[in-house]
RNA sequence: GGCCCCAUCGUCUAAUGGUUAGGACACCGGGUUUUCAUCCCGGCAACCGGGGUUCGAAUCCCCGUGGGGUCACCA
């Protein structure tokens, strides 16, 4: 496959949400798997909506995911600048070319007049087409008025790398605005100029642009330029399956997932599996595997719902796959505050025990707090436990006393603990459900914990016996 | 409303004219000497409807229906 030059071109109007970032992922995958380049361009032509800091936020999000770019706003490149607001003379020059060719004209109407046309059309239940009001003798364009494209409406059939053959009639084409009266180009104009000048081979974007493509096709013709490969991705829908995922409807900031302790490789796996698969039954993909097998042709045409449950499962899966040392490094500062003075070695032992039940790092404190500090006695645990609530208090007390003696004799190696615990089971002729639950609750005061012998071993003798005493006093 | 796109279990999806329509998530059972989790086993659960074409249709065609997008000096 020929090297693809793809770009991700968001507008800095807010944080990155998971819907938008999939577009970046697919573009990045295509560039990387073909040995091409990936470009980050910022489309900051809407100064009214621009959110300060969101450009950096987008960069941070991509960094977190591990999507790197060869040219872009922050690092420059041979076809820069990559910030549209710094390219105004370029757009002006191309606009003037269109004016000179008689393919663009100044819009003589006031916004109110255009709005009146629009309402007229709406009242008549017709789509609004500006060109129905195209002025016969437009004023000279001096930049104070919007510049409109003088379209040449016709029917098009074109190929989309994802959607296949697409069609539209002349009614889909209109005299859209190229340059706004504030001197900035519209997206519709700027992206075409930039993609040409930056030699992009593929335009990968979301579905909402599909109805504008005939306009772009018409503009490519007017500009007499070759168009890149077009690839339209289906929407990612919100959990209700209705509308496309949007910030309004609670789409989370991508970095929120970072802060909750999701793994970038899990996020990438999840994002890729929404709307793409390789045709096999494989669910788990590493980035390297995605680079092997990804193709636009196998991207789904229908929208996909964002199912956070699936993301959580996938994240847990990737966590379990990690070697302990690597996981330990990644877990970083997610430990509970009580772990502040714990040694790396101790924390690693704890981590090894909870690795298989950790779905995302933010769960770590709840899962491990009792390893670092005595939790307050929680009578509910033994009062409501399915097995224990059937046993008399004094009997529990006696059992726990025996357990204490047994444990006091142990060297607290895993083998010895297991052996003595089993012996105790026989001596007391108790069900493990009763005896082990009791000891587990006594030594952890937690609703859940890893296996008993493992937990006791890591906790150590002193802590275990101290906690048993505390519970004994409360029984 | 015009135009455009889409349509398989609740969800993500496989199937490219011939399968008991497969897998995964979630959920529900059971097992792995306690809990939670992992792992294993099992269960639940889908081709939007109607017409064609064909020996044969989830797959091709048409018509409905449903959902989505778009019709901005936003991208």
């Amino acid at each position: 496959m020929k090297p693809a030059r793809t770009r991700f071109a968001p507008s800095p109007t807010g944080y990155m949400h998971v819907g938008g970032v999939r577009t970046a992922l697919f573009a990045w995958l295509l560039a990387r798997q073909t040995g091409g380049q990936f470009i980050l361009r910022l489309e900051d032509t809407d100064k009214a909506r621009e959110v300060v800091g969101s450009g950096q936020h987008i960069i941070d999000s991509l960094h977190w995911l591990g999507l790197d770019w060869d040219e872009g706003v922050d690092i420059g490149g041979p076809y820069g600048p990559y910030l549209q607001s710094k390219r105004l003379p370029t757009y002006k020059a191309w606009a003037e070319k269109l004016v000179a060719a008689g393919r663009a004209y100044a819009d003589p109407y006031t916004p109110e007049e255009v709005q009146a046309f629009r309402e007229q059309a709406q009242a008549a239940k017709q789509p609004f087409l500006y060109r129905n009001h195209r002025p016969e003798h437009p004023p000279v364009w001096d930049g104070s008025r919007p510049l409109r494209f003088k379209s040449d409406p016709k029917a098009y059939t074109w190929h989309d790398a994802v959607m296949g053959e697409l069609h539209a009639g002349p009614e889909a084409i209109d005299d859209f605005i190229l340059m706004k009266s504030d001197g900035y180009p519209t997206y519709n104009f700027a992206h075409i100029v930039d993609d040409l000048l930056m030699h992009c081979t593929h335009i990968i974007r979301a579905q909402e642009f599909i109805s504008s493509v005939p306009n772009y096709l018409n503009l490519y013709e007017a500009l007499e330029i070759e168009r890149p490969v077009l690839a339209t991705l289906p929407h990612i829908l919100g959990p209700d399956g209705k509308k496309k995922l949007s910030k309004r409807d609670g789409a989370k900031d991508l970095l929120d997932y970072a802060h909750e302790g999701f793994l970038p490789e899990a996020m990438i796996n999840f994002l890729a599996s929404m709307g793409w698969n390789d045709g096999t039954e494989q669910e788990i993909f590493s980035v390297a595997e995605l680079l092997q097998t990804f193709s636009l042709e196998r991207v789904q045409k229908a929208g996909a719902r964002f199912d956070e449950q699936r993301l959580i499962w996938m994240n847990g899966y990737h966590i379990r796959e990690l070697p302990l040392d690597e996981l330990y490094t990644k877990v970083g500062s997610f430990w509970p505050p009580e772990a502040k003075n714990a040694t790396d070695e101790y924390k690693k032992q704890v981590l090894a025990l909870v690795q298989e039940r950790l779905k995302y790092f933010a769960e770590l404190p709840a899962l491990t707090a009792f390893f670092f500090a005595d939790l307050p006695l929680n009578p509910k645990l033994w009062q409501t436990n399915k097995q224990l609530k059937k046993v008399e208090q004094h009997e529990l007390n006696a059992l726990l006393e025996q357990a204490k003696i047994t444990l006091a004799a142990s060297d607290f190696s895993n083998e010895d603990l297991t052996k003595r615990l089993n012996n105790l089971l026989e001596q007391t002729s108790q069900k493990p459900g009763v005896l082990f639950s009791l000891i587990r609750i006594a030594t952890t005061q937690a609703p859940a914990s890893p296996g008993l012998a493992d937990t006791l071993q890591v906790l150590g003798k002193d802590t275990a016996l101290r906690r048993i005493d505390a519970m004994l006093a409360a029984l």
Side-chain angles (χ1 to χ4, degrees):
Chain A
M1 204 170 175
K2 273 175 35 192
R5 275 177 69 84
T6 64
R7 47 50 164 194
F8 180 56
S11 70
T13 50
Y15 59 80
M16 280 260 272
H17 67 77
V18 290
V21 81
R22 191 190 57 173
T23 309
L25 172 64
F26 285 7
W28 179 85
L29 283 172
L30 190 67
R32 289 288 170 260
Q33 75 176 172
T34 59
Q37 293 85 38
F38 183 57
I39 301 166
L40 176 64
R41 181 174 74 220
L42 233 39
E43 310 213 321
D44 62 334
T45 54
D46 185 352
K47 287 299 160 187
R49 282 163 199 255
E50 190 165 336
V51 175
V52 182
S54 57
Q56 187 56 45
H57 193 98
I58 288 165
I59 288 173
D60 293 344
S61 299
L62 294 173
H63 277 321
W64 175 68
L65 267 187
L67 306 186
D68 57 336
W69 49 97
D70 307 285
E71 303 164 28
V73 267
D74 54 336
I75 55 174
Y79 306 105
Y82 296 85
L83 187 66
Q84 287 189 324
S85 61
K86 292 205 174 132
R87 302 172 59 81
L88 265 24
T90 304
Y91 307 123
K92 187 150 183 273
W94 281 81
E96 276 161 357
K97 269 205 311 216
L98 282 167
V99 173
R103 294 306 305 273
Y105 60 92
D107 181 343
Y109 302 111
T110 64
E112 292 72 30
E113 286 172 312
V114 177
Q115 184 56 25
F117 294 150
R118 197 184 336 271
E119 279 162 17
Q120 233 175 64
Q122 257 166 20
K125 304 225 175 212
Q126 295 288 313
F128 170 61
L129 281 175
Y130 180 94
R131 62 178 158 85
N132 291 339
H133 308 276
R134 186 187 283 171
E136 272 186 55
H137 302 291
V140 173
W141 183 54
D142 61 3
S144 68
R145 297 165 190 275
L147 183 72
R148 283 188 183 264
F149 177 50
K150 189 172 179 184
S151 63
D152 176 22
K154 56 169 88 162
Y156 283 103
T157 294
W158 72 98
H159 185 263
D160 184 283
V162 172
M163 293 296 178
E165 295 300 305
L166 259 20
H167 318 267
E171 65 283 342
I173 292 175
D174 196 14
D175 290 5
F176 61 91
I177 290 177
L178 302 165
M179 298 291 290
K180 299 183 268 188
S181 57
D182 63 1
Y184 286 89
T186 57
Y187 164 82
N188 297 143
F189 183 47
H191 89 273
I192 286 185
V193 171
D194 286 348
D195 287 337
L196 173 77
L197 264 25
M198 295 175 186
H199 302 279
C200 296
T201 59
H202 293 70
I203 300 183
I204 301 171
R205 65 185 20 139
Q207 220 183 14
E208 62 260 32
F209 294 102
I210 210 166
S211 52
S212 302
V213 169
N215 280 139
Y216 305 150
L217 262 19
N218 210 244
L219 183 55
Y220 284 123
E221 280 182 14
L223 254 18
E224 296 180 307
I225 58 178
E226 218 179 304
R227 70 167 174 83
V229 174
L230 267 21
T232 303
L233 304 182
H235 277 135
I236 292 182
L237 310 172
D240 62 354
K242 295 287 183 200
K243 290 204 292 271
K244 68 173 175 174
L245 194 68
S246 69
K247 298 167 193 176
R248 240 192 102 117
D249 297 312
K252 281 208 290 199
D253 185 338
L254 182 74
L255 288 181
D256 283 347
Y257 289 100
H259 298 140
E260 287 174 13
F262 281 81
L263 256 20
E265 56 266 39
M267 180 58 79
I268 284 180
N269 191 166
F270 173 69
L271 253 18
S273 77
M274 241 189 319
W276 173 87
N277 71 82
D278 71 345
T280 72
E281 287 182 350
Q282 185 169 350
E283 309 273 349
I284 301 296
F285 290 88
S286 67
V287 175
E289 286 172 318
L290 288 174
L291 285 169
Q292 287 283 331
T293 52
F294 178 78
S295 74
L296 286 175
E297 287 67 34
R298 285 203 64 91
V299 173
Q300 209 76 222
K301 291 182 182 178
R305 286 192 211 190
F306 184 85
D307 182 5
E308 205 170 65
Q309 290 277 19
R310 194 173 154 79
L311 170 63
I312 290 171
W313 164 73
M314 224 171 234
N315 200 59
Y317 194 101
H318 282 268
I319 285 177
R320 271 171 257 135
E321 295 286 279
L322 248 29
L324 183 62
D325 283 336
E326 207 175 320
L327 177 63
Y328 183 70
T329 307
K330 294 190 180 201
V331 153
S333 57
F334 281 94
W335 291 102
E338 296 83 7
K340 199 175 55 172
N341 297 319
T343 64
D344 286 341
E345 201 201 345
Y346 185 74
K347 284 196 282 189
K348 262 188 210 181
Q349 284 177 24
V350 172
L351 190 58
L353 258 32
V354 298
Q355 177 168 17
E356 70 185 22
R357 61 208 80 202
L358 195 57
K359 304 285 192 211
Y360 48 94
F361 298 161
E363 292 182 321
L364 197 59
L367 254 29
T368 64
F370 64 86
F371 280 109
F372 302 102
D374 292 3
L375 263 34
L377 288 171
N378 183 359
K380 268 201 173 148
L381 287 177
W382 62 85
Q383 285 164 2
T384 60
N385 178 285
K386 226 186 347 184
Q387 311 261 22
L388 297 188
K389 69 179 174 189
K390 290 182 278 190
V391 184
E392 296 287 329
Q393 284 258 326
H394 69 268
E395 206 176 329
L396 288 179
N397 204 307
L399 273 175
L400 201 50
E401 287 284 4
Q402 271 189 275
K404 183 184 160 188
I405 294 163
T406 303
L407 293 177
S410 173
D411 64 6
F412 266 64
S413 68
N414 204 309
E415 304 72 39
D416 188 61
L417 282 165
T418 306
K419 197 180 76 194
R420 288 178 193 273
L421 252 14
N422 282 336
N423 288 344
L424 186 62
L425 219 42
E426 285 180 34
Q427 281 169 36
T428 59
S429 60
Q430 267 296 347
K431 288 185 296 187
V434 173
L435 182 66
F436 290 175
S437 291
L438 181 64
I439 302 174
R440 193 191 66 74
I441 288 171
T443 51
T444 65
Q445 296 297 330
S449 66
L452 186 53
D454 290 337
T455 302
L456 288 173
Q457 184 194 10
V458 171
L459 240 24
K461 194 170 188 170
D462 293 347
T463 302
L465 293 180
R466 182 179 70 243
R467 291 183 184 177
I468 288 176
D469 279 336
M471 177 144 158
L472 242 18
L475 270 175

